[in-house]
């Protein structure tokens, strides 16, 4: 498979322990997902690892929903270009990881995959598309983790 050429930016708008993420890991995972999803051409992806307050503000301003969430995706260019921003709530990821009995690092990876799938048009607002999206995200993450524990 040919990996898409992409520009990757990682922002941290909250303090995050280094064991939770690695820029190299997140960039490689994003490239893996894009390749597996057969994305062609240039891609520009910005990830903001953030907390409850900032993601709630983003959710309120751009979606009209005044509550925190785990990940928000913003597609900045119409297809076929892929240019987007993801905000991942690391505090929420940590809480969800505890509930699911896995690491925060794994949950951040899962949310990255989930956010990229949203950028690619997957939705999780209705049961059938949600099942499809979750099946795909879990399949991608398991495939990645076989070689990158």
């Amino acid at each position: 498979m040919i990996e898409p050429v992409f520009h990757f930016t990682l922002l941290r708008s909250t303090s995050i322990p280094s064991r939770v993420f690695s820029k190299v890991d997140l960039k490689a995972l994003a490239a893996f997902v894009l390749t597996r999803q057969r994305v062609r051409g240039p891609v520009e992806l910005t990830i903001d690892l953030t907390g409850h307050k900032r993601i709630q503000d983003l959710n309120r301003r751009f979606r009209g929903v005044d509550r925190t969430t785990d990940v928000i995706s913003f597609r900045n260019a119409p297809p076929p270009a892929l240019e987007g921003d993801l905000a991942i709530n690391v505090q929420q990821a940590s809480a969800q990881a505890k509930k699911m009995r896995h690491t925060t690092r794994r949950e951040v990876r899962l949310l990255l995959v989930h956010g990229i799938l949203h950028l690619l048009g997957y939705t999780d607002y209705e049961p059938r598309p949600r099942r499809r999206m979750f099946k795909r995200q879990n399949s991608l993450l398991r495939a990645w983790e076989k070689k990158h524990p």
Side-chain angles (χ1 to χ4, degrees):
M1 284 187 243
I2 299 171
E3 289 187 18
V5 175
F6 77 103
H7 183 259
F8 180 87
T9 304
L10 182 65
L11 307 172
R12 293 187 304 173
S13 60
T14 192
S15 64
I16 303 158
S18 60
R19 72 182 183 288
V20 170
F21 80 97
S22 149
K23 180 178 181 177
V24 171
D25 180 65
L26 295 178
K27 182 178 182 180
L29 175 56
F32 174 81
V33 171
L34 294 167
T35 300
R36 286 287 181 100
Q37 290 299 116
R38 296 188 170 105
V39 173
R40 302 285 182 246
V43 174
E44 186 163 334
L45 185 60
T46 300
I47 312 295
D48 183 8
L49 298 177
T50 192
H52 289 312
K53 186 174 171 30
R54 175 151 168 73
I55 210 159
Q56 182 172 354
D57 181 53
L58 292 170
N59 210 10
R60 180 179 46 251
R61 278 193 352 215
F62 295 103
R63 296 185 61 234
V65 179
D66 191 14
R67 65 170 196 241
T68 191
T69 190
D70 53 5
V71 63
I72 297 179
S73 302
F74 301 97
R75 185 153 185 163
N76 302 327
L82 181 57
E83 184 180 312
D85 301 327
L86 302 177
I88 298 174
N89 182 343
V90 179
Q91 294 168 329
Q92 186 70 30
S94 179
Q96 289 173 188
K98 286 177 187 167
K99 184 177 178 183
M100 298 305 293
R101 296 187 176 148
H102 57 237
T103 65
T104 301
R105 178 185 173 103
R106 184 173 200 273
E107 189 69 17
V108 169
R109 285 174 166 179
L110 180 82
L111 294 174
L112 175 62
V113 173
H114 186 90
I116 291 171
L117 290 177
H118 272 308
L119 292 175
L120 296 175
Y122 283 74
T123 64
D124 56 3
Y125 304 117
E126 295 178 7
R128 185 169 289 172
R130 181 181 179 91
R131 281 191 301 272
R132 178 177 174 256
M133 182 177 192
F134 279 45
K135 181 178 178 181
R136 186 62 182 152
Q137 86 184 11
N138 293 333
S139 170
L140 287 164
L141 186 59
R142 279 192 305 272
W144 172 256
E145 290 179 331
K146 282 183 183 178
K147 295 187 178 186
H148 307 88

